[in-house]
Amino acid sequence: MAMMRELEGYPKITKTKCSKKQKRVDPFQRSKTQATSQSRERNQKQSKRKRKTPALREREREMVSKTEETQLNRLENQVDNGGGGAWEYLCLVRKLKVRRSEKVLKYGLSILNDPKKRSALGPEEWTLYEQLAIAAMDCQCLDVAKDCIKVLHKKFPESKRVGRLDCMLLEAKGSWAEAEKAYSSLLEDNPLDQVIHKRRVAMAKAQGNISVAIEWLNKYLEIFMADHDAWRELADIYLSLQMYKQAAFCYEELLLSHPTVPLYHLTYADVLYTLGGLENLQTAKKYYASTIDLTGGKNTRALLGICLCTSAIAQLSKGRSKEDKESPELQSLAAKVLEKEYKQRAADKLGLLTSALRSLKI
């Protein structure tokens, strides 16, 4: 009760005029805050969803399943139409790590500016202040972010976590040198702070210093080699620079740690196909096949990849002995499945597929 009386003395947070330009403050680091057991119970009552299976937990954290997306959109529409559930919506956004900054800013302010709703949150109030601060920075409502950080500093004066928010605010203002100096100071106190390392990478990307971002990511991965999000980020950067050999190495690391994720098999096969060469094409064909196996034969891109690899391998294998040539059985099956899929889902484009396969001599 004493804490709640103290909160009444905090200034009311209002949404000031925000810049129309939306600046991406946090493209790489995701919030580690999760809903408490009480919040999870509220979410379950609100959406009546089932517990996630182990298979879903293995999916990439940045990817949201169709069920979760449907649940999020349904809850968002409910709140937009005045049906309540704003706190449950904010918890779900935080849990799924999706970017809905404008909605978070709107509904977060409505809760914090209502004393009854705010006091009902209990300890989760501080989580909302943090979530709102990040959303406000993303929307360039820096006055709101500053007010939230000020409240958190009053409650947690020595918190390094709140200190990171100060650094992010400097980023949002474009004070890169000051932000880098502040991050370096925090790293001196805790050299193994993963969040700060990732923020520095994000800051380098925001400035367009891709080479610096690559350097820091590689240094980060020397320490935290099991961080598959960092490997994925590094692979994406290499792909954007057409550094396919380096990207292939990143996906090899991802496949070692997550051998059952179809997306990694598929993207690795794409990279090898792009590199070309008989050996790379043969390996790409194997990973397209493994993608088909992991997805139950429902990945159209992998099926087409089989056909493309087969055609390219046939061109490079001309003049070789019959033992070096591959059996046409796999590509024939892939072509049949593709034709079946197109008949069911896009019959009007079946002719285009047939002519394309014919040009590949399949």
Side-chain angles (χ1 to χ4, degrees):
M1 294 299 294
M3 183 182 71
M4 295 306 161
R5 287 195 295 271
E6 182 184 0
L7 287 176
E8 297 300 326
Y10 288 143
K12 184 176 182 180
I13 298 177
T14 57
K15 185 175 179 180
T16 58
K17 185 178 181 180
C18 303
S19 171
K20 293 184 179 179
K21 182 179 179 182
Q22 187 169 345
K23 197 170 187 177
R24 185 170 187 176
V25 175
D26 197 5
F28 187 57
Q29 173 58 30
R30 302 169 181 83
S31 174
K32 293 185 178 179
T33 309
Q34 296 182 348
T36 61
S37 57
Q38 180 180 3
S39 302
R40 286 196 295 270
E41 291 174 1
R42 290 175 181 173
N43 289 339
Q44 290 170 356
K45 292 179 181 179
Q46 183 68 37
S47 60
K48 298 181 181 179
R49 63 183 176 87
K50 297 180 181 180
R51 182 178 298 179
K52 291 174 65 178
T53 64
L56 284 178
R57 294 192 185 99
E58 282 296 320
R59 295 173 69 94
E60 291 182 275
R61 286 183 292 171
E62 71 274 25
M63 294 181 65
V64 180
S65 68
K66 291 183 179 180
T67 302
E68 291 169 332
E69 184 178 4
T70 301
Q71 176 192 355
L72 181 65
N73 292 334
R74 183 172 64 248
L75 191 55
E76 183 175 298
N77 291 332
Q78 174 183 313
V79 180
D80 286 340
N81 295 325
W87 172 243
E88 287 77 9
Y89 172 76
L90 294 174
C91 287
L92 188 58
V93 168
R94 189 166 63 249
K95 178 181 179 181
L96 299 181
K97 302 176 180 65
V98 294
R99 189 180 178 192
R100 304 286 177 95
S101 300
E102 292 183 359
K103 298 290 185 181
V104 169
L105 184 62
K106 178 181 177 180
Y107 302 137
L109 285 172
S110 67
I111 292 176
L112 290 178
N113 288 330
D114 188 323
K116 292 183 178 180
K117 293 181 180 179
R118 187 181 63 195
S119 62
L121 297 179
E124 285 292 294
E125 175 187 355
W126 314 114
T127 300
L128 179 56
Y129 271 112
E130 181 186 42
Q131 186 180 12
L132 183 60
I134 295 174
M137 286 185 276
D138 197 21
C139 295
Q140 279 294 286
C141 296
L142 302 185
D143 289 338
V144 176
K146 187 176 179 180
D147 289 341
C148 291
I149 296 172
K150 183 178 179 181
V151 172
L152 290 171
H153 267 303
K154 186 173 182 179
K155 178 63 179 178
F156 310 101
E158 303 297 328
S159 172
K160 301 297 181 184
R161 183 167 174 170
V162 179
R164 290 198 298 262
L165 292 177
D166 286 325
C167 298
M168 291 175 65
L169 184 59
L170 291 173
E171 286 187 62
K173 293 177 179 178
S175 303
W176 308 115
E178 294 180 36
E180 172 60 27
K181 185 177 179 180
Y183 281 133
S184 298
S185 177
L186 290 175
L187 280 177
E188 289 179 1
D189 297 332
N190 184 10
L192 299 180
D193 192 321
Q194 292 179 268
V195 177
I196 296 178
H197 282 289
K198 291 182 178 182
R199 287 305 323 149
R200 296 177 75 187
V201 174
M203 189 168 62
K205 288 183 65 179
Q207 296 177 80
N209 296 331
I210 303 301
S211 59
V212 175
I214 291 175
E215 180 184 355
W216 281 344
L217 261 178
N218 278 297
K219 289 181 178 179
Y220 171 82
L221 286 168
E222 289 177 1
I223 305 172
F224 306 101
M225 291 177 285
D227 191 334
H228 74 277
D229 284 329
W231 282 113
R232 178 73 185 277
E233 179 73 13
L234 185 57
D236 288 344
I237 293 176
Y238 282 140
L239 288 176
S240 69
L241 299 175
Q242 298 183 6
M243 300 172 68
Y244 297 114
K245 290 184 178 180
Q246 292 84 346
F249 176 81
C250 294
Y251 279 106
E252 287 167 0
E253 292 292 329
L254 286 167
L255 286 168
L256 284 173
S257 58
H258 296 79
T260 60
V261 178
L263 180 61
Y264 296 157
H265 288 254
L266 179 62
T267 312
Y268 182 54
D270 286 341
V271 173
L272 292 177
Y273 178 82
T274 304
L275 282 171
L278 183 59
E279 184 177 351
N280 286 331
L281 288 170
Q282 290 172 338
T283 306
K285 185 177 179 180
K286 293 177 182 178
Y287 278 92
Y288 280 129
S290 64
T291 303
I292 295 171
D293 183 44
L294 290 170
T295 57
K298 296 181 180 180
N299 193 299
T300 304
R301 186 183 183 90
L303 291 167
L304 186 58
I306 291 287
C307 299
L308 291 171
C309 285
T310 300
S311 178
I313 291 171
Q315 293 293 325
L316 294 176
S317 300
K318 286 184 177 179
R320 294 174 178 263
S321 63
K322 293 183 179 180
E323 295 180 356
D324 294 335
K325 295 182 179 180
E326 297 186 348
S327 170
E329 182 180 358
L330 182 59
Q331 58 267 28
S332 298
L333 289 172
K336 289 179 181 178
V337 174
L338 277 172
E339 291 176 347
K340 182 179 179 181
E341 289 290 319
Y342 270 75
K343 284 180 181 178
Q344 294 176 350
R345 301 183 182 183
D348 56 323
K349 297 181 180 179
L350 181 60
L352 293 175
L353 175 68
T354 304
S355 61
L357 293 177
R358 190 181 299 115
S359 67
L360 296 175
K361 297 181 180 180
I362 296 175

